[in-house]
Amino acid sequence: MRTSAQVIGELLTGHPEAVSLQAEASHCLALARSSAACASQAFDAAQAARLGYEELRHRLDPRRVRTIGLAAGLLTLTLVGVGLTLLDAIELSVVLGPVRAVLPALAAAGVWLAGSWVAALATRERRRGVCVTAGIGGVLLGLLLAALRGFSHQNVLFGTLVSVLILGLASAAAVLMARMESSSLFAARWRWQRTRAAHRAAVRIEQGDLEAATVATESWLGLVRTRASVLAGEERLVQETVALAIELLESGQSHASLRRRLPG
């Protein structure tokens, strides 16, 4: 009667494919264990990044009113700034001329955006006095721009319409700034999304390695089961041989060390 160790020893020394199948199964199992560890680490990193983002959001935006993303908000503010510059240039060109009005129009657009930022900050902090002051200042500045056409004997109604559009864009910019997320919250969310994508990639690699390890292990154990059935014929010995083959695979030993351990 052969033992399970003798069956595996004879298989490794006598079968031309045994060593290759055992080495491939051992290699695939090692890759599966490594990818599983990497996936676990990626999951921990993603969870930590998510908790950090949620804690920061709870502190900076407890009621979730700042729902506009930073990238979309900055793009919209850029378009608003371009619109303010064009409208200011239209108003100032009646006094300074089309070319000389460009730089003052840029400065005026900066002033409008600064006033919008002050109004948005006052809205977040619920400082009604500052909001009212910023609104009155914007209206007076719009009236001043509209009055330039009256001083130059131009169409005052058209200048008033342009000033109303400027006030509307400035008000929209203030609302946008009040609803836009902060840069720190954007960075935390971007970090969470990046770690979540890394975790998904690690899970895909883990699944692929696990499938490869399953196929390679089944090929090796199928050969062991067939060899044990031919040499021994007893179901108990077949099961013991397969169990020993699994134990030796999980230990991660090379085929040479296995042959030295197993009596032939």
Side-chain angles (χ1 to χ4, degrees), residues 35 38-40 42-43 197-209:
S35 60
C38 291
S40 178
F43 175 78
H199 173 247
R200 291 175 179 173
V203 168
R204 288 194 295 268
I205 295 175
E206 179 189 14
Q207 292 175 349
D209 290 344

Side-chain angles (χ1 to χ4, degrees), residues 1-11 13 224 227-241 244 263-264:
M1 291 293 296
R2 292 178 173 86
T3 63
S4 58
Q6 289 174 334
V7 171
I8 295 180
E10 292 180 6
L11 179 61
T13 56
V224 172
R227 184 69 173 181
S229 300
V230 171
L231 294 180
E234 295 184 1
E235 185 63 26
R236 180 185 60 82
L237 183 58
V238 173
Q239 294 178 356
E240 291 178 355
T241 304
L244 179 59

Side-chain angles (χ1 to χ4, degrees), residues 178-194:
R179 296 281 183 174
M180 192 168 59
E181 67 177 349
S182 63
S183 58
S184 57
L185 194 61
F186 170 78
R189 181 165 56 86
W190 180 78
R191 191 180 305 111
W192 171 38
Q193 291 176 350
R194 185 182 61 179

Side-chain angles (χ1 to χ4, degrees), residues 20-264:
S20 177
L21 289 177
Q22 185 272 334
E24 180 67 17
S26 179
H27 172 70
C28 290
L29 282 176
L31 284 181
R33 286 192 291 266
S34 175
S35 60
C38 291
S40 178
Q41 293 176 356
F43 175 78
D44 294 339
Q47 287 296 98
R50 178 177 182 177
L51 290 176
Y53 164 72
E54 291 179 347
E55 290 177 358
L56 185 62
R57 179 174 58 81
H58 293 161
R59 186 169 68 252
L60 297 180
D61 187 20
R63 294 176 178 81
R64 304 197 69 170
V65 296
R66 302 169 68 175
T67 56
I68 301 176
L70 181 64
L74 290 178
L75 178 60
T76 307
L77 280 178
T78 301
L79 297 177
V80 171
V82 172
L84 288 172
T85 302
L86 292 176
L87 293 176
D88 287 329
I90 292 174
E91 292 285 57
L92 295 175
S93 61
V94 298
V95 178
L96 302 177
V99 178
R100 297 176 59 185
V102 175
L103 292 180
L106 289 172
V111 172
W112 284 113
L113 291 177
S116 299
W117 178 78
V118 171
L121 188 61
T123 302
R124 290 177 187 173
E125 298 178 355
R126 298 182 179 181
R127 301 174 62 180
R128 296 176 181 264
V130 178
C131 291
V132 173
T133 303
I136 293 175
V139 172
L140 292 177
L141 185 57
L143 292 176
L144 177 60
L145 290 175
L148 291 177
R149 289 187 171 270
F151 296 150
S152 302
H153 304 288
Q154 300 288 333
N155 191 350
V156 180
L157 181 61
F158 179 75
T160 303
L161 178 61
V162 173
S163 297
V164 170
L165 291 178
I166 291 175
L167 289 174
L169 286 179
S171 301
V175 174
L176 181 64
M177 291 177 183
R179 296 281 183 174
M180 192 168 59
E181 67 177 349
S182 63
S183 58
S184 57
L185 194 61
F186 170 78
R189 181 165 56 86
W190 180 78
R191 191 180 305 111
W192 171 38
Q193 291 176 350
R194 185 182 61 179
T195 54
R196 184 172 58 178
H199 173 247
R200 291 175 179 173
V203 168
R204 288 194 295 268
I205 295 175
E206 179 189 14
Q207 292 175 349
D209 290 344
L210 184 60
E211 292 175 359
T214 301
V215 173
T217 302
E218 287 299 324
S219 299
W220 164 243
L221 294 181
L223 181 61
V224 172
R225 191 177 294 108
T226 302
R227 184 69 173 181
S229 300
V230 171
L231 294 180
E234 295 184 1
E235 185 63 26
R236 180 185 60 82
L237 183 58
V238 173
Q239 294 178 356
E240 291 178 355
T241 304
V242 171
L244 179 59
I246 295 175
E247 179 184 350
L248 294 175
L249 266 184
E250 292 178 348
S251 65
Q253 301 181 68
S254 63
H255 67 275
S257 61
L258 292 178
R259 284 191 295 181
R260 286 195 295 269
R261 283 188 52 191
L262 300 176

